[in-house]
Every structure is written in C-alpha cells, then in structure tokens.
Amino acid sequence: MFACAGCGTELTAPVSRIALPVHTHHGGWEELHPALMEPAAYAVDPRPTGPPWRSWEEVGEELAARQDVYAPAYFVSFGARNRIVIAPGDSRSMALIPEKCEGYCRGVDGRAGPNLACEGCGRAVATRVDDCGSWQTVWLEPEAVVRCPSGLPAVPPPGWDDLERAEHRVPPVEPDGSWSRRWEAAVGVALAHLVVATGGSPVTLPDGRVAELLGHAVARYLPVGPGGRSVGLAGPGIGTPRPRPDVLLVPRHPLTGAAWRPPGDDGAVVPLDSGIWAYLVHPGETSPMPATGVLPPGVLRDDYPLPSFPWYPLTPHEWAFEHTLIGLPAVRSLRMRGYGNQGA
C-alpha cells in the first residue's frame, strides 16, 4: 500500500502493480468514463505528466527530448515522472482541496496540480481526475508518498496464460453499439509503433479479423496493399506464422508491459494491448447457447443474432497516435524522410 511521506497515514488499500494501460491518457471527448484501473491494482507512468506545461517554441527540440518528446507538440509536460495511478475506490484518507478542483464541465481534471490532501497532515499528495473525456483515476505524487508492505499474501502475478481467459478479452464494441474507446486508443498507440517499425512504408495486412477490424485504421497513416511490408499476428499459444512476416503484432505483458517475442527472434514487433490482442486471436463463442460438434472455420451459428459492428469503420484515437509517436525517438528519422508531411 502507499502512505503519506509526511505523516505515514495510509492513503490506499493494498494494491499490486500491473502494466500502465495504453489507453490511460486517451478517452472519448465529452463522455463520462469508468475507472481506468481494476480494483487492488496500481501502475506507474514513466513519462512526465501533468502541469506545469510549456510550449514547444519556448522549450526547443533539445530540452523537449529530455522530456521524452521527440517531435513538435503544442505543449510539453514538465510534471513529475513515475506518478502512480490507482482506481478512485482504492484511495483512503484523502480530501479534496476546493481551490484546486477546476474542470471542463462534469468533474475535475487536475489542471492546477494535486487536488487531494492527506487527512493526517494536510499535505497535497494526489490528483483526482474524473472529468468528461478522462478515465476516472487518482494519481499519487511520487515524492509525496512511500510504499509500505500491506501484510497480505502476495497475489499471483498475471502472465501470458491469462490472455486465454475469456474475461481478459476486450470486445471491440461498447454496449451502446459504438466502437470501444479502449480499442480506439489502443489501435492508435499500436499504429504509432507500426509506423516506426515499417519506417512509414506500405504494409500488407493478413486476411481475416486483423484486416476487417484494423484495415481502415492502418490506412489512415500507412499505404495498404500488395507489395508492402507484411504484418502478422504472433504470440503465446499461437507461435509465429511461417514464413515470418516483416512485422509481428504481439501482446504486451499484462504485468511488465514488455512486448512478447519469439525465442531467439530480434525482428520487428508491434505491441498490442493484451486484451485487444486476445480478442483478435481468441474471439470466443458468438452465441450464448452451447454448441455440439464443430463448425467449419469462419462459419457462425444462426440461433442467436450475429455480432454486429458500427456502421462506420474503426478509427484510431488521433491523440493516442500522436502522443505515442512523438514519444518514440525514431520519429526523428521519420521526420527527416518526410513522413510528417503525410499527416503524422
């Protein structure tokens, strides 16, 4: 658990570390969102986040690069690194600081810095964010808190085997029939890595679910068609296609965030949110009714409404793409080759 560095007051329930979700900073504009983190979990953001902000013109390329920004951006964050994010329900003994509760329209967005104070000593220790367009979070300031053992037995860490659990898969469509906000953000993040992995070259997607769900999104940033660099799905439980595609779409480890790699393979890989990857590889049963026998590949049962997708194609979250791309050092060489003139 985490406690106040000033007085020792416990500020969280017992929590275990997982990888920072790729959609952390990317939600749907003017929409209310659920909590980012699952209960009893925390993650750490290694990049600078939050205020103070400075313009690119004021900062310059060299100083921006020290803040992990490698291409022009409207503003560069000079906030703390390694801020700790938890679900609001896991926070304890903190009170809002009224004069720091600014927001856009439906909640607080943390624009003025930490807005939660320790109830033990009054020290500003965290930032509550719940405004529209943001996932509900509490961000602990790394210099204001300390880690303490909870005294509870360690929870088994998530691993590659968890990707095959049905509950780990993230469906691409929301209950209201729109595209999943998590998918939109995760695809934007993955596309930034794909642009870097291919150097902005044309790509060829594998037939099936990848082309059906991601084809339109990929085409927004890369030419798609025959003769391009080949892309394929790979990962735990399915191995690597043969011959090996030029670029592999692989899952991020749910605990460490590291990309899966085939043993002894140092070729290009693009990490995908593990929940999205799991859906692409294991979409699961399309009907709630138990099946008898085995249907041919690609054939869906007709005793229940077929899964439907929105009338418009899946579009990547633009800010998720740009935020990820400018944080990759390789974007410098892409800019020199003129990729930025194509809309990146």
Side-chain angles (χ1 to χ4, degrees):
M1 63 182 62
F2 290 89
C4 175
C7 67
T9 297
E10 294 177 0
L11 301 177
T12 74
V15 288
S16 298
R17 184 169 180 174
I18 64 170
L20 183 73
V22 299
H23 55 287
T24 295
H25 301 293
H26 317 300
W29 183 243
E30 293 194 342
E31 296 178 12
L32 293 177
H33 287 52
L36 171 74
M37 303 294 293
E38 294 292 330
Y42 79 96
V44 177
D45 192 341
R47 292 177 68 176
T49 58
W53 300 87
R54 297 170 62 184
S55 68
W56 173 270
E57 291 75 14
E58 176 190 0
V59 171
E61 186 168 350
E62 183 177 346
L63 183 53
R66 297 179 193 170
Q67 299 301 110
D68 299 340
V69 177
Y70 301 99
Y74 286 115
F75 295 102
V76 178
S77 171
F78 280 78
R81 294 179 183 269
N82 300 317
R83 296 172 79 214
I84 302 140
V85 62
I86 62 172
D90 283 330
S91 63
R92 303 287 187 270
S93 303
M94 289 185 276
L96 284 168
I97 304 172
E99 60 271 21
K100 290 193 172 184
C101 288
E102 296 93 334
Y104 176 68
C105 66
R106 298 184 183 180
V108 293
D109 59 15
R111 69 180 67 183
N115 56 23
L116 288 172
C118 168
E119 291 183 342
C121 64
R123 180 179 185 176
V125 291
T127 304
R128 174 80 157 100
V129 176
D130 57 13
D131 205 352
C132 61
S134 300
W135 304 93
Q136 295 193 39
T137 54
V138 168
W139 290 89
L140 303 172
E141 295 298 319
E143 300 301 322
V145 299
V146 293
R147 294 182 359 156
C148 307
S150 68
L152 298 177
V155 177
W160 293 124
D161 292 343
D162 287 286
L163 274 59
E164 296 189 20
R165 293 187 292 108
E167 58 268 28
H168 191 83
R169 303 167 196 154
V170 178
V173 180
E174 302 281 7
D176 66 0
S178 63
W179 289 110
S180 162
R181 304 298 176 264
R182 179 167 165 180
W183 269 71
E184 291 173 340
V187 169
V189 171
L191 281 175
H193 287 277
L194 183 61
V195 165
V196 167
T198 62
S201 302
V203 297
T204 303
L205 299 177
D207 294 332
R209 193 166 289 105
V210 172
E212 177 186 2
L213 287 172
L214 306 184
H216 173 80
V218 173
R220 288 178 63 90
Y221 299 106
L222 289 170
V224 178
R229 300 193 67 183
S230 57
V231 177
L233 273 175
I238 64 169
T240 305
R242 290 289 181 258
R244 186 200 192 279
D246 296 316
V247 181
L248 298 177
L249 297 177
V250 301
R252 295 172 74 241
H253 193 281
L255 176 64
T256 66
W260 181 88
R261 277 190 173 276
D265 186 314
D266 60 355
V269 298
V270 168
L272 267 175
D273 177 305
S274 60
I276 278 74
W277 181 92
Y279 180 88
L280 290 172
V281 175
H282 307 292
E285 175 62 70
T286 60
S287 167
M289 301 296 290
T292 57
V294 178
L295 291 173
V299 176
L300 301 177
R301 296 178 57 181
D302 61 1
D303 60 357
Y304 191 75
L306 295 177
S308 60
F309 294 121
W311 61 268
Y312 55 95
L314 175 65
T315 302
H317 192 295
E318 185 174 351
W319 172 236
F321 173 81
E322 294 178 358
H323 176 76
T324 304
L325 190 64
I326 65 175
L328 300 173
V331 73
R332 286 172 160 174
S333 62
L334 286 173
R335 288 173 59 209
M336 287 188 291
R337 293 202 299 270
Y339 178 82
N341 296 329
Q342 302 176 27

